[in-house]
Amino acid sequence: GVPRVSREPGCCGTGAAMMEGLDDGPDFLSEEDRGPRPVIVDLQADAFLQVDISDALSERDKVKFTVHTKSSLPNFKQDEFSVVRQHEEFVWLHDAFVENEEYAGYVIPPAPPKPDFDASRDKLQKLGEGEGSVTKEEFTKMKQELEAEYLAIFKKTVAMHEVFLCRVAAHPVLRNDLNFHIFLEYNQDLSIRGKNKKEKLEDFFKNMVKTADEVLVAGVKDVDDFFEHEKTFLLEYNNRIKDAAIKADKLTKSHKNVADGNSRISSTLHTLGTQDSTDLCKFFLKVSELFEKTRKIEARVSADEDLKLSDLLRYYLRESQAGKDLLYRRARSLVDYENANKLLDKSRAKNKDVLQSETNQQLCCQKFEKLSESAKQELIDFKTRRVAAFRKNLVELAELELKHSKGHLQLLQSCLLALKNDN
């Protein structure tokens, strides 16, 4: 069957003032249904904007997301509507924000990562090819595990794309963007294609130029201590988040390896237990059942750590990079302003093109001051948002770890008691 995720509309509403106890940061897949929990907020007393992904369909080479919107804003023709979008259209919307000079002073929500199901598909294909080399029970069990893994990745992909839309819809400026409204409301294909080799090469050279320019502007002493501190902090924060994400992935993989090991032990003991009806064989079957149950617990621990910790770290790795990009744009604006001042001094000294230089200097000054004002508030909001998101996810992860540990302990105790009773 083709994997599909469906939820009731209204899973993630967003707006200017968040409800008490809620934030507009990433709310990753919950333990029960792996879908963001409802967040309902108002923009004003008489207007609201609520965006979610109500349905998603995975095909061979793409995922189709049904984006559902409810709003009382006058910008939209209807109060409720849905459109089908693909990953490339999310990237287009993100790039449109980045390329718009009006948004230079904002932390642009990072684009969702590209759906990648190749590894899971390859595993399923290899399992199908080796069907004759394992027993029917082992094949069914392995197939169910791989399908569950594929579905978890699929649902996580849906959540990541929904997080992007919720962040945009919650932003007081970006939510009014024309391209965002087109993305939400235009019910035809946006005709967005992936970048060809030439465009990718152009992006590569643009990034190289930007990297070189970042090195040049990084040496400029900031006139504002707040931004100088933020620059130092975000550089260190980004590096530490990157390191933490790598270690979290290793932790998740270790639990996954334990689960896989328990599965193999369980299968081996089950094979031995079905050879005869002796007490020893019965013992093997009971222990086999224990290892199978512990496999499920370890697999759940691995999944929860991936969702509550690894995904959170990866998201804020991308969002902290967006914060660094904001600081780069402001630093570039500062350099332009200082260069305009130097040019004005030269023009006055030579008494040539003074009016043109004054106009240019005033424009650079206005741009820099406007960018600085919005950037300061954005970085303050970013701190509030990430602290709330980390507190929420780490508390939930700790609660889940305790729950699984208690389950593990009870499982071992009940197995030992059953073995003693048999004896």
Side-chain angles (χ1 to χ4, degrees), residues 88 91-92 95 99 191-207:
E88 288 75 18
V91 175
W92 163 79
D95 291 349
E99 293 164 6
S191 300
I192 306 299
R193 58 171 176 77
K195 294 183 178 181
N196 57 35
K197 290 183 179 180
K198 181 182 177 182
E199 289 167 331
K200 288 179 180 178
L201 188 62
E202 288 175 352
D203 285 346
F204 173 74
F205 283 115
K206 281 181 183 177
N207 288 331

mmCIF file of all heavy atoms in Angstrom, residues 88 91-92 95 99 191-207:
data_model
loop_
_atom_site.group_PDB
_atom_site.id
_atom_site.type_symbol
_atom_site.label_atom_id
_atom_site.label_comp_id
_atom_site.label_asym_id
_atom_site.label_seq_id
_atom_site.Cartn_x
_atom_site.Cartn_y
_atom_site.Cartn_z
ATOM 1 N N GLU A 88 9.203 20.792 -3.350
ATOM 2 C CA GLU A 88 9.853 21.873 -4.103
ATOM 3 C C GLU A 88 9.131 23.203 -3.923
ATOM 4 O O GLU A 88 9.753 24.269 -3.963
ATOM 5 C CB GLU A 88 9.904 21.523 -5.590
ATOM 6 C CG GLU A 88 10.890 20.431 -5.958
ATOM 7 C CD GLU A 88 10.407 19.045 -5.569
ATOM 8 O OE1 GLU A 88 9.183 18.892 -5.324
ATOM 9 O OE2 GLU A 88 11.243 18.122 -5.490
ATOM 10 N N VAL A 91 10.245 24.748 -0.686
ATOM 11 C CA VAL A 91 11.576 25.347 -0.878
ATOM 12 C C VAL A 91 11.454 26.674 -1.624
ATOM 13 O O VAL A 91 12.132 27.651 -1.295
ATOM 14 C CB VAL A 91 12.499 24.379 -1.642
ATOM 15 C CG1 VAL A 91 13.843 25.033 -1.969
ATOM 16 C CG2 VAL A 91 12.723 23.103 -0.827
ATOM 17 N N TRP A 92 10.586 26.713 -2.633
ATOM 18 C CA TRP A 92 10.360 27.956 -3.383
ATOM 19 C C TRP A 92 9.891 29.068 -2.460
ATOM 20 O O TRP A 92 10.364 30.213 -2.543
ATOM 21 C CB TRP A 92 9.317 27.712 -4.482
ATOM 22 C CG TRP A 92 8.729 28.982 -5.036
ATOM 23 C CD1 TRP A 92 9.293 29.822 -5.941
ATOM 24 C CD2 TRP A 92 7.456 29.565 -4.666
ATOM 25 N NE1 TRP A 92 8.464 30.893 -6.168
ATOM 26 C CE2 TRP A 92 7.330 30.764 -5.405
ATOM 27 C CE3 TRP A 92 6.430 29.198 -3.799
ATOM 28 C CZ2 TRP A 92 6.202 31.598 -5.298
ATOM 29 C CZ3 TRP A 92 5.317 30.016 -3.683
ATOM 30 C CH2 TRP A 92 5.214 31.197 -4.422
ATOM 31 N N ASP A 95 12.810 30.237 -0.281
ATOM 32 C CA ASP A 95 13.765 31.033 -1.066
ATOM 33 C C ASP A 95 13.194 32.417 -1.391
ATOM 34 O O ASP A 95 13.945 33.400 -1.451
ATOM 35 C CB ASP A 95 14.126 30.300 -2.360
ATOM 36 C CG ASP A 95 14.956 29.054 -2.101
ATOM 37 O OD1 ASP A 95 15.424 28.892 -0.951
ATOM 38 O OD2 ASP A 95 15.131 28.237 -3.031
ATOM 39 N N GLU A 99 15.168 35.874 -0.516
ATOM 40 C CA GLU A 99 15.564 36.798 -1.574
ATOM 41 C C GLU A 99 14.869 38.159 -1.483
ATOM 42 O O GLU A 99 15.244 39.097 -2.202
ATOM 43 C CB GLU A 99 15.267 36.161 -2.939
ATOM 44 C CG GLU A 99 16.136 34.942 -3.228
ATOM 45 C CD GLU A 99 15.599 34.089 -4.375
ATOM 46 O OE1 GLU A 99 14.606 34.522 -5.002
ATOM 47 O OE2 GLU A 99 16.165 33.007 -4.615
ATOM 48 N N SER A 191 3.729 25.146 -10.675
ATOM 49 C CA SER A 191 4.742 24.943 -11.736
ATOM 50 C C SER A 191 6.158 25.212 -11.222
ATOM 51 O O SER A 191 6.982 25.824 -11.911
ATOM 52 C CB SER A 191 4.444 25.840 -12.949
ATOM 53 O OG SER A 191 3.182 25.551 -13.487
ATOM 54 N N ILE A 192 6.412 24.773 -10.001
ATOM 55 C CA ILE A 192 7.750 24.902 -9.424
ATOM 56 C C ILE A 192 8.513 23.620 -9.690
ATOM 57 O O ILE A 192 8.050 22.533 -9.381
ATOM 58 C CB ILE A 192 7.687 25.140 -7.900
ATOM 59 C CG1 ILE A 192 6.801 26.344 -7.582
ATOM 60 C CG2 ILE A 192 9.078 25.324 -7.323
ATOM 61 C CD1 ILE A 192 7.279 27.649 -8.161
ATOM 62 N N ARG A 193 9.664 23.741 -10.278
ATOM 63 C CA ARG A 193 10.483 22.557 -10.566
ATOM 64 C C ARG A 193 11.748 22.613 -9.713
ATOM 65 O O ARG A 193 12.119 23.658 -9.177
ATOM 66 C CB ARG A 193 10.871 22.518 -12.045
ATOM 67 C CG ARG A 193 11.635 23.749 -12.506
ATOM 68 C CD ARG A 193 12.196 23.591 -13.914
ATOM 69 N NE ARG A 193 12.835 24.796 -14.379
ATOM 70 C CZ ARG A 193 14.039 25.206 -14.009
ATOM 71 N NH1 ARG A 193 14.728 24.493 -13.143
ATOM 72 N NH2 ARG A 193 14.577 26.321 -14.492
ATOM 73 N N GLY A 194 12.415 21.457 -9.619
ATOM 74 C CA GLY A 194 13.692 21.427 -8.924
ATOM 75 C C GLY A 194 14.761 22.137 -9.743
ATOM 76 O O GLY A 194 14.637 22.290 -10.960
ATOM 77 N N LYS A 195 15.815 22.591 -9.089
ATOM 78 C CA LYS A 195 16.871 23.324 -9.787
ATOM 79 C C LYS A 195 17.680 22.390 -10.678
ATOM 80 O O LYS A 195 18.003 21.260 -10.293
ATOM 81 C CB LYS A 195 17.780 24.013 -8.773
ATOM 82 C CG LYS A 195 17.080 25.109 -7.982
ATOM 83 C CD LYS A 195 18.022 25.822 -7.043
ATOM 84 C CE LYS A 195 17.296 26.941 -6.303
ATOM 85 N NZ LYS A 195 18.194 27.668 -5.388
ATOM 86 N N ASN A 196 18.006 22.888 -11.896
ATOM 87 C CA ASN A 196 18.841 22.100 -12.797
ATOM 88 C C ASN A 196 20.319 22.271 -12.428
ATOM 89 O O ASN A 196 20.670 23.011 -11.498
ATOM 90 C CB ASN A 196 18.585 22.502 -14.260
ATOM 91 C CG ASN A 196 18.816 23.988 -14.506
ATOM 92 O OD1 ASN A 196 19.710 24.592 -13.901
ATOM 93 N ND2 ASN A 196 18.027 24.573 -15.395
ATOM 94 N N LYS A 197 21.192 21.606 -13.175
ATOM 95 C CA LYS A 197 22.626 21.615 -12.845
ATOM 96 C C LYS A 197 23.211 23.026 -12.909
ATOM 97 O O LYS A 197 24.047 23.416 -12.079
ATOM 98 C CB LYS A 197 23.376 20.681 -13.794
ATOM 99 C CG LYS A 197 23.093 19.206 -13.556
ATOM 100 C CD LYS A 197 23.917 18.333 -14.482
ATOM 101 C CE LYS A 197 23.635 16.852 -14.216
ATOM 102 N NZ LYS A 197 24.429 15.967 -15.116
ATOM 103 N N LYS A 198 22.768 23.801 -13.912
ATOM 104 C CA LYS A 198 23.283 25.168 -14.058
ATOM 105 C C LYS A 198 22.903 26.018 -12.857
ATOM 106 O O LYS A 198 23.738 26.761 -12.306
ATOM 107 C CB LYS A 198 22.727 25.792 -15.344
ATOM 108 C CG LYS A 198 23.237 27.204 -15.594
ATOM 109 C CD LYS A 198 22.618 27.794 -16.851
ATOM 110 C CE LYS A 198 23.073 29.238 -17.057
ATOM 111 N NZ LYS A 198 22.443 29.853 -18.247
ATOM 112 N N GLU A 199 21.648 25.903 -12.430
ATOM 113 C CA GLU A 199 21.179 26.692 -11.283
ATOM 114 C C GLU A 199 21.867 26.248 -9.993
ATOM 115 O O GLU A 199 22.183 27.076 -9.129
ATOM 116 C CB GLU A 199 19.667 26.552 -11.150
ATOM 117 C CG GLU A 199 18.900 27.269 -12.263
ATOM 118 C CD GLU A 199 17.439 26.883 -12.309
ATOM 119 O OE1 GLU A 199 17.108 25.744 -11.926
ATOM 120 O OE2 GLU A 199 16.621 27.722 -12.746
ATOM 121 N N LYS A 200 22.098 24.952 -9.854
ATOM 122 C CA LYS A 200 22.814 24.452 -8.674
ATOM 123 C C LYS A 200 24.245 24.971 -8.651
ATOM 124 O O LYS A 200 24.793 25.298 -7.591
ATOM 125 C CB LYS A 200 22.803 22.920 -8.660
ATOM 126 C CG LYS A 200 21.439 22.319 -8.338
ATOM 127 C CD LYS A 200 21.491 20.805 -8.353
ATOM 128 C CE LYS A 200 20.119 20.204 -8.028
ATOM 129 N NZ LYS A 200 20.136 18.724 -8.083
ATOM 130 N N LEU A 201 24.867 25.047 -9.839
ATOM 131 C CA LEU A 201 26.232 25.561 -9.943
ATOM 132 C C LEU A 201 26.264 27.047 -9.585
ATOM 133 O O LEU A 201 27.182 27.511 -8.890
ATOM 134 C CB LEU A 201 26.771 25.344 -11.362
ATOM 135 C CG LEU A 201 28.259 25.659 -11.585
ATOM 136 C CD1 LEU A 201 29.122 24.747 -10.710
ATOM 137 C CD2 LEU A 201 28.625 25.487 -13.057
ATOM 138 N N GLU A 202 25.249 27.781 -10.045
ATOM 139 C CA GLU A 202 25.153 29.208 -9.709
ATOM 140 C C GLU A 202 25.006 29.395 -8.201
ATOM 141 O O GLU A 202 25.634 30.285 -7.607
ATOM 142 C CB GLU A 202 23.960 29.836 -10.434
ATOM 143 C CG GLU A 202 24.169 30.005 -11.936
ATOM 144 C CD GLU A 202 22.917 30.518 -12.633
ATOM 145 O OE1 GLU A 202 21.858 30.595 -11.966
ATOM 146 O OE2 GLU A 202 22.999 30.830 -13.836
ATOM 147 N N ASP A 203 24.179 28.550 -7.576
ATOM 148 C CA ASP A 203 24.004 28.616 -6.123
ATOM 149 C C ASP A 203 25.311 28.316 -5.401
ATOM 150 O O ASP A 203 25.628 28.937 -4.370
ATOM 151 C CB ASP A 203 22.929 27.624 -5.672
ATOM 152 C CG ASP A 203 21.530 28.095 -6.012
ATOM 153 O OD1 ASP A 203 21.371 29.280 -6.345
ATOM 154 O OD2 ASP A 203 20.598 27.264 -5.950
ATOM 155 N N PHE A 204 26.064 27.371 -5.951
ATOM 156 C CA PHE A 204 27.347 27.010 -5.352
ATOM 157 C C PHE A 204 28.295 28.197 -5.339
ATOM 158 O O PHE A 204 28.934 28.503 -4.327
ATOM 159 C CB PHE A 204 27.960 25.836 -6.125
ATOM 160 C CG PHE A 204 29.356 25.484 -5.695
ATOM 161 C CD1 PHE A 204 29.587 24.832 -4.492
ATOM 162 C CD2 PHE A 204 30.447 25.825 -6.490
ATOM 163 C CE1 PHE A 204 30.875 24.512 -4.090
ATOM 164 C CE2 PHE A 204 31.736 25.507 -6.099
ATOM 165 C CZ PHE A 204 31.947 24.846 -4.892
ATOM 166 N N PHE A 205 28.384 28.898 -6.485
ATOM 167 C CA PHE A 205 29.276 30.055 -6.569
ATOM 168 C C PHE A 205 28.772 31.214 -5.706
ATOM 169 O O PHE A 205 29.561 31.944 -5.100
ATOM 170 C CB PHE A 205 29.439 30.499 -8.021
ATOM 171 C CG PHE A 205 30.361 29.619 -8.827
ATOM 172 C CD1 PHE A 205 29.888 28.880 -9.900
ATOM 173 C CD2 PHE A 205 31.702 29.505 -8.480
ATOM 174 C CE1 PHE A 205 30.731 28.055 -10.626
ATOM 175 C CE2 PHE A 205 32.562 28.686 -9.204
ATOM 176 C CZ PHE A 205 32.075 27.952 -10.285
ATOM 177 N N LYS A 206 27.437 31.365 -5.629
ATOM 178 C CA LYS A 206 26.866 32.403 -4.758
ATOM 179 C C LYS A 206 27.239 32.140 -3.302
ATOM 180 O O LYS A 206 27.581 33.059 -2.552
ATOM 181 C CB LYS A 206 25.343 32.422 -4.894
ATOM 182 C CG LYS A 206 24.827 33.139 -6.139
ATOM 183 C CD LYS A 206 23.299 33.116 -6.160
ATOM 184 C CE LYS A 206 22.760 33.750 -7.434
ATOM 185 N NZ LYS A 206 21.273 33.670 -7.505
ATOM 186 N N ASN A 207 27.165 30.864 -2.901
ATOM 187 C CA ASN A 207 27.520 30.507 -1.529
ATOM 188 C C ASN A 207 29.002 30.739 -1.255
ATOM 189 O O ASN A 207 29.378 31.145 -0.144
ATOM 190 C CB ASN A 207 27.154 29.045 -1.248
ATOM 191 C CG ASN A 207 25.663 28.830 -1.139
ATOM 192 O OD1 ASN A 207 24.928 29.728 -0.748
ATOM 193 N ND2 ASN A 207 25.195 27.639 -1.493
#
